[in-house]
Amino acid sequence: MISDLKDKRQLLRFLSISALGTAADYALALLLAGTLSTPYAIASTLGFILGSIINYVGHNIFSYEHTDQSSMSLRGYGKYFLAVLSSLAIRLAVVEGLAYFTPLPFWFILLVAIGASFVANYVISTLWVFRKPG
């Protein structure tokens, strides 16, 4: 089980898909916060939701060798979304903490927060959401 976290090919595939979801996530959050003056936590959350949809589909098709299009479902996405809510909590704690305690710009704060949530997401996804059967 823990050995699944050490699969370098899987991690690289996961990272590739996550980069796509993160790009959409980051762009939407910046657009909402910068153009529409949406509060940072809300902009970050909406970006996170968009990224999670992109990531769920991509991870099913590409990241994990034992999953494919046939393993996608609303129930599966619900499980994925519930699992990564913990990574959202980590992300928001980083966003709010750095915004409160430092003068760092939002774009940098968001990058740090995304990195923290990526680590949590990979662990949760590999060990629970997309766990190998058996």
Side-chain angles (χ1 to χ4, degrees):
M1 188 128 125
I2 297 294
S3 63
D4 292 337
L5 293 173
K6 297 177 183 179
D7 182 339
K8 289 183 174 87
R9 290 182 61 231
Q10 177 179 280
L11 177 60
L12 289 175
R13 289 189 307 267
F14 190 92
L15 181 60
S16 298
I17 292 300
S18 294
L20 294 175
T22 299
D25 169 347
Y26 187 67
L28 181 61
L30 287 179
L31 173 74
L32 292 172
T35 306
L36 302 175
S37 299
T38 304
Y40 290 169
I42 293 170
S44 185
T45 301
L46 293 174
F48 183 87
I49 291 168
L50 176 62
S52 75
I53 293 167
I54 292 168
N55 288 341
Y56 174 72
V57 171
H59 293 323
N60 261 295
I61 294 170
F62 183 70
S63 297
Y64 295 93
E65 292 177 349
H66 60 279
T67 61
D68 58 25
Q69 282 180 294
S70 68
S71 59
M72 288 190 291
S73 66
L74 285 177
R75 183 173 184 254
Y77 175 71
K79 183 178 176 182
Y80 178 74
F81 191 75
L82 287 174
V84 298
L85 283 177
S86 61
S87 66
L88 174 61
I90 292 167
R91 175 182 171 151
L92 293 178
V94 171
V95 166
E96 292 299 316
L98 289 177
Y100 184 79
F101 290 110
T102 73
L104 295 170
F106 179 63
W107 66 266
F108 184 79
I109 289 171
L110 191 58
L111 286 176
V112 172
I114 287 169
S117 66
F118 172 81
V119 171
N121 186 15
Y122 181 67
V123 171
I124 293 166
S125 293
T126 301
L127 298 181
W128 186 58
V129 178
F130 302 107
R131 186 178 65 178
K132 287 181 184 174

